[in-house]
Amino acid sequence: MKSTWSCWRLLPIHKHQTSNINLKVMVFIFLLCVTGIGVFWREDISLYFLPHDERPCACDQCLSEDGLLLSQNFSKFAEPLLSVNCNLSSADFNWWSHIPGGKGSYSSYKTTVDRIFQMLPASADVEPPSPDRCRTCAVVGNSVNLKDSHYGPLIDFQDIVMRMNRGRTKGYEADVGTRTTHHVMYPESAVDLDNTTRLVLFPFKIRDLEWITKAFSTGFSRKLILKSNIRANKDLVMVLNPAFMRYVHHVWLRKKGSYPSTGFMALVLALHICDEVHVFGFGADSDGNWSHYWEELKNKKLKTGQHPGGEEYGVLQKLAQHQIVKFYMGRDSSLSI
Ligand code: C5P
């Protein structure tokens, strides 16, 4: 009887201990899981739990928080836009003056830049990053793949809409949108702008720098320069830094090709001044030519000119795969990467 009693007494004690142990094990496993998640997804979690003003921007994902691919390239960056106090190293100048068509001495470069800043704003007006803002950008290349894409509203939805060269909207609104906040050009590709659009000059030679001051004043008439005068707001002009061009060529494109294309440099510029980048209008046609959305290609052997088109496209695809940019591939693909 005694033993039965003991057994009877023992039984509930044993059950109680077992459930205690189970509880401890469960708490231990739970803590282990939480620690594991914290360790493996530390970066992602920090996005949501960091105090608001410690995050660089207000987007879901800010560019400056993206991993290795960007930080490796960003660490070697050159100032993207020229300002009155910007000095060009002799290595940068040498690289720049070897772009086909370029010639002239460093001193004539300096004189021309000094003259530019007597007329243009002393530094470019770029909105700085802020924890309260999400600076979204659309970089719109001129690819034929924009035809029938219906990307217009999506492009117009971004804060900055960057177009380039002879890229146009009239007649193509449904596919390319209507807004242009920044228009990238060089003298041979120049177009008139309205009073609110920023003219972003990509200078490939000293003559291009001379052009901008003259095109706003006396006029500039030289061979191959179709536009001797430009209609645009000179207070909104920005000039790409030649050192940035070299940085894009050496760091982003591993020195492939002669020099980067306008579109690729515009893309890297966007990575430096935006928090979220949407890329449209990049990609050769089925014959490998950089044909445009507004015209029938005449030169079927155009390919990608002197630019490392394949390398550029590869980098763009990699950026998209790492979800650093959103890449919209146009009518040949129903999906963006
Ligand atoms: O032809 P254009 O130089 O005006 O085009 C602007 C930019 O758009 C190019 O520098 C290139 O980066 C990109 N582009 C492209 N695929 C095309 C046409 C242009 O990627 N078919």
Side-chain angles (χ1 to χ4, degrees):
M1 181 71 190
K2 198 178 174 211
S3 67
T4 316
W5 167 244
S6 349
C7 284
W8 184 83
R9 260 195 73 204
L10 268 177
L11 197 62
I13 290 168
H14 179 65
K15 260 190 178 169
H16 177 69
Q17 279 176 338
T18 312
S19 59
N20 240 352
I21 290 166
N22 278 347
L23 190 71
K24 278 181 186 162
V25 168
M26 278 164 69
V27 169
F28 178 71
I29 291 172
F30 174 74
L31 287 175
L32 208 64
C33 290
V34 170
T35 315
I37 291 168
V39 168
F40 291 113
W41 284 286
R42 203 180 51 216
E43 281 174 30
D44 288 356
I45 278 181
S46 69
L47 284 181
Y48 301 101
F49 293 117
L50 268 180
H52 180 60
D53 56 1
E54 279 182 26
R55 297 202 54 228
C57 80
C59 313
D60 289 342
Q61 177 81 32
C62 308
L63 270 178
S64 49
E65 291 169 324
D66 274 304
L68 211 57
L69 186 65
L70 272 194
S71 57
Q72 275 172 347
N73 290 351
F74 274 11
S75 62
K76 302 174 190 126
F77 91 108
E79 206 56 60
L81 298 157
L82 271 187
S83 62
V84 72
N85 298 319
C86 201
N87 282 321
L88 194 61
S89 74
S90 55
D92 288 335
F93 178 76
N94 278 341
W95 176 86
W96 185 67
S97 55
H98 279 92
I99 291 180
K103 52 178 182 280
S105 64
Y106 186 80
S107 67
S108 72
Y109 165 80
K110 255 321 254 160
T111 316
T112 315
V113 170
D114 290 346
R115 205 170 298 137
I116 281 186
F117 287 112
Q118 284 162 19
M119 176 182 261
L120 303 180
S123 61
D125 178 22
V126 174
E127 189 184 357
S130 152
D132 304 320
R133 288 265 303 140
C134 175
R135 300 168 303 168
T136 68
C137 297
V139 182
V140 189
N142 288 332
S143 172
V144 68
N145 71 22
L146 283 170
K147 262 192 193 168
D148 303 325
S149 67
H150 304 288
Y151 288 151
L154 195 53
I155 291 173
D156 280 344
F157 187 67
Q158 313 308 324
D159 299 323
I160 288 182
V161 178
M162 207 186 281
R163 301 186 195 273
M164 52 203 79
N165 299 338
R166 296 185 192 283
R168 59 205 62 187
T169 55
K170 199 159 185 294
Y172 302 92
E173 292 85 350
D175 294 333
V176 307
T178 56
R179 293 178 56 237
T180 308
T181 62
H182 293 63
H183 200 118
V184 170
M185 64 179 82
Y186 47 92
E188 292 84 347
S189 73
V191 291
D192 289 329
L193 303 178
D194 65 34
N195 207 35
T196 58
T197 303
R198 290 164 199 282
L199 189 165
V200 189
L201 175 70
F202 278 18
F204 293 102
K205 45 196 172 309
I206 296 176
R207 202 179 64 173
D208 298 351
L209 294 166
E210 288 166 1
W211 172 80
I212 193 77
T213 46
K214 297 224 171 113
F216 274 114
S217 54
T218 54
F220 187 87
S221 43
R222 296 270 181 87
K223 224 169 73 185
L224 294 176
I225 306 280
L226 301 175
K227 275 194 84 56
S228 57
N229 292 89
I230 186 104
R231 190 158 31 83
N233 185 339
K234 72 175 160 48
D235 296 330
L236 298 182
V237 174
M238 302 171 164
V239 182
L240 197 72
N241 183 357
F244 186 80
M245 295 177 156
R246 179 173 179 244
Y247 151 75
V248 174
H249 187 231
H250 282 209
V251 176
W252 283 88
L253 297 174
R254 296 176 298 155
K255 304 185 186 178
K256 298 273 166 55
S258 305
Y259 59 104
S261 74
T262 306
F264 191 78
M265 288 192 285
L267 166 63
V268 182
L269 172 64
L271 294 174
H272 283 259
I273 64 171
C274 310
D275 300 311
E276 191 180 288
V277 176
H278 300 254
V279 184
F280 306 86
F282 282 70
D285 63 22
S286 52
D287 297 324
N289 293 312
W290 268 352
S291 43
H292 298 142
Y293 60 86
W294 65 86
E295 64 186 358
E296 202 58 52
L297 184 70
K298 291 188 195 87
N299 173 10
K300 301 281 181 199
K301 291 188 182 150
L302 173 72
K303 302 300 174 201
T304 63
Q306 308 201 48
H307 308 297
E311 182 75 13
E312 292 185 359
Y313 197 75
V315 175
L316 173 53
Q317 281 182 312
K318 212 161 150 191
L319 287 169
Q321 277 152 9
H322 284 75
Q323 294 177 0
I324 292 168
V325 302
K326 291 202 170 65
F327 179 26
Y328 303 84
M329 293 189 291
R331 62 168 182 187
D332 293 332
S333 163
S334 53
L335 290 172
S336 65
I337 294 184

